[in-house]
Amino acid sequence: MVYEDFAKVYDELMQEINYDEWADYIFRMTLNSTKPIKKILEFGCGTGNITLRLAKKGFDMTAVDLSEDMLTVADEKAEAQGIENVRFFKGDMSNFQIGETFDAVIVCCDSFNYLKSLDEIESFLSCSAEALKPGGLLMFDMNTPEKYKETIGDNTFVYNFDNVYCVWENTLHPDDDKVDFDLSFFVRREDDLYERYEEEQSQYYYPVEDIFKLLKVPAFKNQKIYDFGTFLAGGALSDRVQYVAEKR
């Protein structure tokens, strides 16, 4: 299962990510909405780092992830911080029915790159359209093929923190448009011995224009691609792009 063991050390390994800036970026995008945004449905929420920050900004958050372990961590963090305007559910972004409508649907932190095919992406877009109120925003980011080929693929990264040592090996498969991640991480226990865990994951990449074409369906309008973190036009040479579309 994706992140089953990784949930134990996810926050420590991801501490280089500025979640405050990420949440602020999403907040700024909501300000461009033609209608007020209050209820947000988030997929791939992980341990809730962005979820809880948006909840603190006053949004009512419904957050979904495939991993029960990640959701357990997220729920514990919400309780510890006294955040009540958030709900966590286990679910699959590629095929869902939520039974209510929202002002926005979001996917953050390249969780979208776990979708394995254009069919899965089309299914997500269709389900999102069903879950959005008229005028609601769909917002998701993706790492680009350029980033996987030039920065991520076939490289090994080593992280050495106080209680976690991790070796992250990547293998690029250009014929399949994917990258395999093999992680070995060692977690310091209370007795100062280390426990070893291993994790295998894959992410998939798609031409920016292909995803944009999928957004050009009658259910959506005002489709945009931003260079992530900005409101400038994004494209194939960006490392990460942000897609935004409005439900008709």
Side-chain angles (χ1 to χ4, degrees):
M1 179 182 295
V2 173
Y3 288 142
E4 183 173 354
D5 292 324
F6 202 27
K8 299 179 177 67
V9 295
Y10 180 83
D11 286 336
E12 187 152 8
L13 292 180
M14 297 295 111
Q15 61 184 266
E16 64 186 40
I17 297 177
N18 192 324
Y19 290 109
D20 289 333
E21 285 189 2
W22 208 308
D24 285 342
Y25 183 49
I26 294 170
F27 175 70
R28 284 187 285 130
M29 283 189 287
T30 67
L31 297 179
N32 292 331
S33 174
T34 57
K35 294 189 176 180
I37 291 181
K38 177 67 174 176
K39 290 177 59 180
I40 295 180
L41 174 61
E42 178 189 6
F43 284 96
C45 67
T47 61
N49 288 310
I50 290 178
T51 316
L52 301 180
R53 284 167 171 81
L54 292 175
K56 287 179 179 179
K57 293 180 181 293
F59 296 106
D60 292 329
M61 300 297 300
T62 298
V64 182
D65 200 276
L66 267 177
S67 170
E68 289 185 9
D69 298 85
M70 301 289 257
L71 292 170
T72 297
V73 174
D75 196 45
E76 290 172 350
K77 287 160 66 173
E79 185 175 355
Q81 296 175 38
I83 298 174
E84 298 181 349
N85 53 324
V86 61
R87 303 177 294 171
F88 293 105
F89 297 100
K90 182 179 178 180
D92 184 348
M93 77 170 80
S94 67
N95 187 13
F96 64 90
Q97 287 183 318
I98 204 75
E100 58 184 289
T101 55
F102 296 82
D103 304 312
V105 173
I106 66 172
V107 185
C108 306
C109 301
D110 57 75
S111 293
F112 211 88
N113 288 101
Y114 285 103
L115 294 176
K116 299 176 182 179
S117 67
L118 291 177
D119 286 342
E120 286 194 358
I121 292 174
E122 283 189 290
S123 177
F124 167 80
L125 296 177
S126 177
C127 293
S128 295
E130 291 286 328
L132 280 167
K133 298 176 182 177
L137 289 186
L138 172 62
M139 298 177 280
F140 60 92
D141 65 82
M142 295 186 76
N143 285 331
T144 63
E146 178 79 6
K147 182 174 181 179
Y148 284 107
K149 294 174 183 178
E150 300 299 328
T151 304
I152 296 176
D154 288 327
N155 286 315
T156 297
F157 302 93
V158 176
Y159 300 88
N160 189 7
F161 300 111
D162 289 341
N163 297 309
V164 179
Y165 179 84
C166 176
V167 179
W168 190 319
E169 296 181 274
N170 301 326
T171 304
L172 181 69
H173 300 279
D175 292 339
D176 297 321
D177 296 332
K178 75 169 184 173
V179 176
D180 291 332
F181 301 149
D182 293 302
L183 298 95
S184 297
F185 44 101
F186 303 83
V187 183
R188 189 199 301 268
R189 305 188 316 203
E190 291 184 1
D191 59 6
D192 282 339
L193 295 177
Y194 282 82
E195 194 163 357
R196 178 175 179 169
Y197 300 94
E198 295 195 359
E199 185 84 21
E200 294 181 358
Q201 304 169 20
S202 297
Q203 286 192 345
Y204 302 81
Y205 54 87
Y206 305 90
V208 173
E209 59 272 17
D210 286 2
I211 304 302
F212 194 65
K213 287 177 184 176
L214 293 182
L215 272 175
K216 291 285 192 177
V217 293
F220 294 105
K221 63 180 181 178
N222 297 331
Q223 298 89 341
K224 296 180 176 63
I225 309 174
Y226 296 129
D227 188 49
F228 182 79
T230 76
F231 291 95
L232 302 174
L237 296 181
S238 303
D239 276 350
R240 185 194 301 269
V241 290
Q242 178 74 41
Y243 296 90
V244 182
E246 182 182 339
K247 169 70 180 296
R248 289 188 186 275

